[in-house]
Amino acid sequence: MANGSRHATAVTVGTLVLLGALASCGTGSGAADPSPRPSASAGRPAGESPHSAVPSDAAGSTNDRSPTSAGHTDRPASRCRTAELSAAVGRMDPGAGQRNFPVVLTNVSSRTCTLYGHPGAAFVDAAGERLGRDPERVPGDPATVTLRPGASAWAGLRYASPGVSGARTATPAALLVTPPDERDPLKVPWRAGAVPVSGNASSVFLTALQPGTGP
């Protein structure tokens, strides 16, 4: 009987120790939360970052704001429209058998806008008919030119002197200048005499826009 009592006591103590260990696993600072928590990516398409969705200012617009030094944001200037510009042809700069002119676009609006690339250009007679081919674009690395109100950008217009090249010439009444990415031209009276329109060395060249009014 003594042996049976000791055996029963040992079983009871072992059972109590096991129950105590199980109870301690579910309590304390390391306790497991029995209720599942949703993942941080729940409801988000696969591969999308939590920060990839940037709110826009209005429906259909993009968030194109950029920080300023004051910590505020300001919308970048959009491109200059034809109605916001005036055009002029500067004084001829003669070269070695060439004629060079700055074609100048000036911001006459009250806002800041930008120009990028080559303007369009065409010589026309008094009736508005084109004379010769349109100028060829000179390859290069165009850069965005930001024009505050009253500021200017220029592109170089050049061609071989007809007296040297022997090309057939005509005298334009005007030069039509079209700002980059626009359709409507600006009409500038042409007062520099004859230009090459056909024959040898009759090509006219035009560079990309850069800040200022010319060399």
Side-chain angles (χ1 to χ4, degrees), residues 74-161:
D74 192 15
R75 188 175 297 279
S78 60
R79 80 170 189 266
C80 301
R81 307 287 179 166
T82 299
E84 298 174 312
L85 300 167
S86 68
V89 177
R91 185 172 57 185
M92 181 182 68
D93 178 24
Q98 285 192 334
R99 294 182 178 179
N100 305 284
F101 301 86
V103 177
V104 182
L105 293 173
T106 300
N107 181 5
V108 295
S109 75
S110 59
R111 73 179 185 98
T112 298
C113 58
T114 61
L115 294 172
Y116 176 84
H118 296 73
F123 292 111
V124 295
D125 61 18
E129 297 295 327
R130 295 199 177 197
L131 300 173
R133 295 176 297 178
D134 291 347
E136 299 178 18
R137 293 181 175 183
V138 176
D141 296 317
T144 299
V145 181
T146 300
L147 297 183
R148 296 183 180 277
S152 300
W154 70 282
L157 179 75
R158 62 177 172 84
Y159 53 85
S161 175

Side-chain angles (χ1 to χ4, degrees), residues 160 165-168 196 198-203:
S165 68
R168 190 173 70 82
S198 66
N200 295 333
S202 60
S203 296

Side-chain angles (χ1 to χ4, degrees), residues 32-38:
D33 191 345
S35 60
R37 295 179 180 177

Side-chain angles (χ1 to χ4, degrees), residues 27-56:
T27 61
S29 60
D33 191 345
S35 60
R37 295 179 180 177
S39 168
S41 60
R44 189 166 53 245
E48 181 175 323
S49 162
H51 306 291
S52 63
V54 181
S56 61

